[in-house]
Amino acid sequence: MADTPQETLANLLSEDRTFPPSPEFTQAANVTAAAYDEAAADRLAFWEAQARRLDWSKDWDRVLDWDNPPFAKWFTGGELNVSANCLDRHVANGLGDRVAIHFEGEPGDTRAVTYAELLDEVKRAANALTDLGVEAGDRVVIYMPMIPEAAVAMLACARIGAPHSVVFGGFSAAALSSRIDDAGAKLVICADGGFRKGKAFALKPTVDEALESCPSVEQVLVVTRTGQEVAWNDRDVKWEDAVGGASNEHEAQPFDAEHPLFILYTSGTTGKPKGILHTSGGYLTQASFTHHAVFDLKPETDVYWCTADIGWVTGHSYIVYGPMSNGATQVMYEGTPDTPHTGRFWEIVQKYGVTILYTAPTAIRTFMKWGDDVPAKFDLSSLRVLGSVGEPINPEAWVWYREHIGGGSTPVVDTWWQTETGAIMVSPLPGVTATKPGSAQRPLPGISVDVVDEQGEAVPDGGGGFLVIREPWPSMLRTIWGDDQRFLDTYWAHFDGMYFAGDGAKKDDDGDLWLLGRVDDIMLVSGHNISTTEVESALVSHETVAEAAVVGASDPVTGQGIVAFVILRGQSESSPEHLAELRAHVAKTLGAIAKPRQVIIVAELPKTRSGKIMRRLLRDIAEDREIGDVTTLADNTVMSRIKTGLQGGKED
Ligand code: ATP
Ligand code: MG
């Protein structure tokens, strides 16, 4: 593949800006540099100490059972109830009046739900599920908008030991039914609909359509959110009747640490989604610890907001299980960032005094495109930690985030992890790390991540390769639901004894980690493996560019040629000179080898429902092929719009 072994993946971009935390931040930080030493001295003892953050009904016998790798068991013999750890113990500790959720509906309706109220509702829902015949081990599919009942449904399932599988509320009937079938779900919990972009959308008809081919489902529990007309079948039960009428007395039973907590299907950026299985004790330990450490949450004073949807793993670990196990007060927002105006997020930050914000690079780049003047109209001075997740964050987007949202002073934590890892794996610690724009930097204490070459040898600082995880971690996936073989083949067959995540990465000269995109997307240009991320970041560092997606298209001369799809910032116009300037800018930033063969200006990019760029579809365009599977696209008409918009945009 590469010219030299060191160049498994070329390291082209260099970054020398760094931002150490302020002395005040460091002094008050939840986690200090000592955590790295403690974990290095005894990794299992470190995780054992973190597991003490939770209440266990029965102690474990062994921290880790790795006798049959890669099938891990953590805290074996231990018993706990996940829901009780997120709710009952806070109320028992006198925190019942603390707001758990500040709900902001898209139309502007609001609700503040305290921990006592949330517990009450979860107890009722747990009783209602039991009355409907749901038992421990039965799977429940949740298909809901971003409303408090979605969290209630998850916590009620956890409470009775029924693994949930949340399916994002924007998915089609086909996507929903294939996930229901794969999980063999007995019950579906949905809403009539939700509010998005100023309108009520429907969910219930999609469930009805999906269930035409799902024999395992016995009943459907329907929350009323919009009040729209819905068809009613014999199997349908109103949430308001079943949950509203149920008793609020419910004693949570403990479950084994390895009891399944949820199945979640991956975003489907690279193809057929995988049903990732997570269990209870290890998962909650790492979700809770990382939320405490990476966001520096002070539950008494912070107002935390994660903008992810509950349908993604980020919504599971950093809206429900991490924050609630830590007793956080958080904002939950139903809608889109531009309804009714492009300042909606900043209005919400100002209104609730949000102190910690966790969002995605796709959102940050959109805000950059909308212009600096939008956030400038709001008071964002309450913010003290900013987080990013989902894709590599381009250094310019990182700097923009810190400057325009963080007032030039808040730490920005770029957190790398996956549905499969369950919780954050690589991230700065805001009170410890001098952050570097675009780098996820270091594995968290207790986590063993490395970058290796094709032979599985660690690359030296300055080298690029494949991101691997060397040691089991508490919140790791236990398998792919119903398909152990796919679990082995997908993650454990590439490198002996190591988990391979599918992502390329490099170590810079300081040993800091940089994510370079998926290895399937890496481009081979004249014998050099070039990462899509580096070329995209070089383009985004040009003042006229808001967002870029880069692919390798087959080229008779160079093997692959680099084709860049670019969205411009604000209203800027393009011209042949401008396109040439963008190509030259990349060559100047990264070297001539990375100069795009072609730059194409587009108005939008194909993205998954979770906002990730789907490069394989752009590759189809760049190579003039029939466009591949678009079922996980957020908007499956975008590809034809991009194709028709291409004329005149080409330059070569
Ligand atoms: P599928 O596996 O079905 O293709 P997916 O990988 O998009 O879907 P997720 O588990 O939601 O599904 O996303 C995890 C991936 O997102 C990571 O493997 C990585 O490619 C990317 N990612 C997440 N956070 C970061 C980050 N901070 N920096 C770089 N990449 C990130
Ligand atoms: Mg993946």
Side-chain angles (χ1 to χ4, degrees):
M1 281 171 80
D3 279 342
T4 59
Q6 280 76 15
E7 215 191 76
T8 297
L9 193 48
N11 174 3
L12 300 174
L13 191 76
S14 74
E15 174 63 63
D16 39 28
R17 290 170 286 190
T18 86
F19 301 91
S22 70
E24 302 76 55
F25 197 107
T26 299
Q27 214 189 0
N30 285 353
V31 176
T32 67
Y36 292 103
D37 302 332
E38 280 163 38
D42 189 339
R43 192 171 61 91
L44 295 185
F46 175 80
W47 284 117
E48 189 159 29
Q50 305 321 316
R52 295 274 171 232
R53 302 175 58 75
L54 308 177
D55 281 359
W56 295 77
S57 312
K58 180 168 168 277
D59 252 3
W60 51 88
D61 315 312
R62 267 175 100 180
V63 180
L64 169 66
D65 172 347
W66 191 234
D67 298 344
N68 180 27
F71 298 94
K73 294 186 182 137
W74 281 84
F75 307 110
T76 54
E79 290 182 1
L80 79 172
N81 186 287
V82 168
S83 174
N85 269 285
C86 293
L87 301 170
D88 306 48
R89 63 173 177 151
H90 304 317
V91 176
N93 287 340
L95 304 174
D97 291 339
R98 178 183 292 169
V99 173
I101 301 174
H102 285 293
F103 172 68
E104 173 94 8
E106 200 194 71
D109 57 319
T110 61
R111 258 161 84 187
V113 185
T114 65
Y115 272 96
E117 289 164 346
L118 194 60
L119 174 58
D120 191 81
E121 183 84 353
V122 168
K123 285 180 169 179
R124 287 178 198 278
N127 282 323
L129 293 180
T130 304
D131 292 344
L132 291 172
V134 179
E135 292 175 9
D138 289 341
R139 276 82 59 205
V140 174
V141 162
I142 298 174
Y143 184 68
M144 304 260 271
M146 283 293 289
I147 54 177
E149 286 79 2
V152 170
M154 290 165 75
L155 289 163
C157 287
R159 195 171 187 89
I160 62 168
H164 55 70
S165 181
V166 183
V167 177
F168 174 63
F171 274 135
S172 66
L176 175 61
S177 80
S178 71
R179 286 162 177 78
I180 292 173
D181 256 346
D182 190 78
K186 188 170 185 179
L187 180 84
V188 174
I189 307 179
C190 71
D192 52 356
F195 294 99
R196 204 185 128 79
K197 291 198 181 291
K199 289 198 286 279
F201 65 92
L203 286 172
K204 175 71 169 40
T206 315
V207 174
D208 292 340
E209 192 186 333
L211 291 190
E212 283 169 19
S213 56
C214 296
S216 63
V217 174
E218 295 171 7
Q219 273 160 318
V220 180
L221 192 52
V222 188
V223 176
T224 305
R225 165 63 180 142
T226 63
Q228 63 196 293
E229 279 289 316
V230 292
W232 209 252
N233 306 303
D234 290 343
R235 62 172 178 247
D236 300 338
V237 180
K238 259 191 188 306
W239 171 281
E240 292 71 23
D241 297 342
V243 176
S247 155
N248 65 353
E249 308 258 330
H250 188 275
E251 196 66 46
Q253 300 304 310
F255 290 98
D256 191 274
E258 284 297 330
H259 188 80
L261 179 63
F262 64 84
I263 302 165
L264 182 64
Y265 292 83
T266 56
S267 308
T269 310
T270 52
K272 183 176 180 274
K274 303 168 277 277
I276 303 302
L277 177 68
H278 283 289
T279 59
S280 303
Y283 169 80
L284 195 63
T285 295
Q286 195 174 329
S288 173
F289 167 69
T290 52
H291 182 257
H292 163 83
V294 172
F295 300 108
D296 194 50
L297 178 90
K298 312 280 194 254
E300 302 77 25
T301 47
D302 275 317
V303 179
Y304 167 84
W305 182 22
C306 167
T307 69
D309 191 276
I310 219 116
W312 312 123
V313 72
T314 307
H316 285 54
S317 303
Y318 299 105
I319 293 178
V320 178
Y321 295 112
M324 292 189 184
S325 66
N326 292 336
T329 293
Q330 68 180 311
V331 171
M332 179 189 257
Y333 173 55
E334 181 184 33
T336 53
D338 54 351
T339 306
H341 56 80
T342 51
R344 185 71 188 267
F345 270 28
W346 318 124
E347 190 176 70
I348 292 173
V349 168
Q350 175 178 288
K351 173 172 173 186
Y352 294 101
V354 172
T355 58
I356 305 169
L357 178 70
Y358 193 26
T359 193
T362 183
I364 297 165
R365 291 186 301 249
T366 303
F367 299 137
M368 286 171 75
K369 188 171 68 185
W370 287 341
D372 307 350
D373 53 320
V374 179
K377 290 192 202 99
F378 299 89
D379 178 6
L380 307 180
S381 60
S382 55
L383 288 167
R384 64 177 201 93
V385 180
L386 299 176
S388 170
V389 62
E391 288 182 294
I393 178 163
N394 320 99
E396 285 321 309
W398 191 107
V399 168
W400 186 91
Y401 194 28
R402 184 179 157 101
E403 283 300 315
H404 294 279
I405 307 304
S409 62
T410 52
V412 174
V413 289
D414 175 17
T415 63
W416 177 86
W417 60 296
Q418 312 175 296
T419 309
E420 293 88 337
T421 70
I424 298 171
M425 302 293 278
V426 182
S427 169
L429 287 178
V432 179
T433 319
T435 52
K436 223 183 248 183
S439 171
Q441 298 194 295
R442 298 277 157 137
L444 289 179
I447 298 297
S448 174
V449 166
D450 205 349
V451 182
V452 300
D453 62 19
E454 282 97 334
Q455 282 71 44
E457 299 293 330
V459 304
D461 289 351
F466 307 95
L467 191 79
V468 295
I469 306 172
R470 289 189 180 277
E471 301 287 349
W473 63 101
S475 64
M476 68 194 284
L477 76 168
R478 298 308 195 254
T479 189
I480 292 179
W481 179 255
D483 200 346
D484 286 349
Q485 193 57 48
R486 192 174 177 208
F487 169 63
L488 295 169
D489 295 344
T490 308
Y491 305 111
W492 302 94
H494 301 267
F495 301 108
D496 203 25
M498 292 182 249
Y499 169 90
F500 174 50
D503 289 334
K506 72 178 187 188
K507 294 177 191 166
D508 69 14
D509 293 336
D510 304 324
D512 283 323
L513 295 173
W514 293 71
L515 273 297
L516 296 182
R518 292 153 200 281
V519 293
D520 309 353
D521 291 334
I522 285 165
M523 305 172 289
L524 184 62
V525 182
S526 306
H528 296 268
N529 283 300
I530 297 184
S531 108
T532 50
T533 302
E534 291 201 320
V535 180
E536 288 162 6
S537 288
L539 284 161
V540 173
S541 75
H542 191 274
E543 62 195 9
T544 60
V545 175
E547 182 149 32
V550 159
V551 298
S554 44
D555 186 288
V557 182
T558 54
Q560 281 190 322
I562 300 177
V563 178
F565 295 80
V566 166
I567 298 179
L568 297 178
R569 245 171 124 153
Q571 298 302 312
S572 34
E573 290 279 312
S574 191
S575 62
E577 294 72 38
H578 174 237
L579 295 177
E581 185 186 318
L582 292 181
R583 295 171 66 227
H585 178 74
V586 175
K588 197 172 104 221
T589 314
L590 301 178
I593 186 73
K595 186 174 183 175
R597 179 181 84 185
Q598 203 176 332
V599 173
I600 300 171
I601 305 297
V602 290
E604 49 197 332
L605 289 167
K607 292 188 179 167
T608 61
R609 298 279 180 171
S610 57
K612 295 175 206 266
I613 299 171
M614 267 159 107
R615 291 177 191 74
R616 63 182 169 81
L617 298 178
L618 292 172
R619 213 149 44 222
D620 292 342
I621 289 194
E623 297 187 337
D624 235 352
R625 258 198 314 273
E626 192 73 11
I627 291 167
D629 182 13
V630 295
T631 46
T632 56
L633 266 185
D635 169 3
N636 56 23
T637 59
V638 68
M639 291 313 294
S640 51
R641 278 202 301 281
I642 292 175
K643 269 196 114 161
T644 31
L646 285 184
Q647 279 77 24
K650 282 201 186 188
E651 192 236 26
D652 205 355

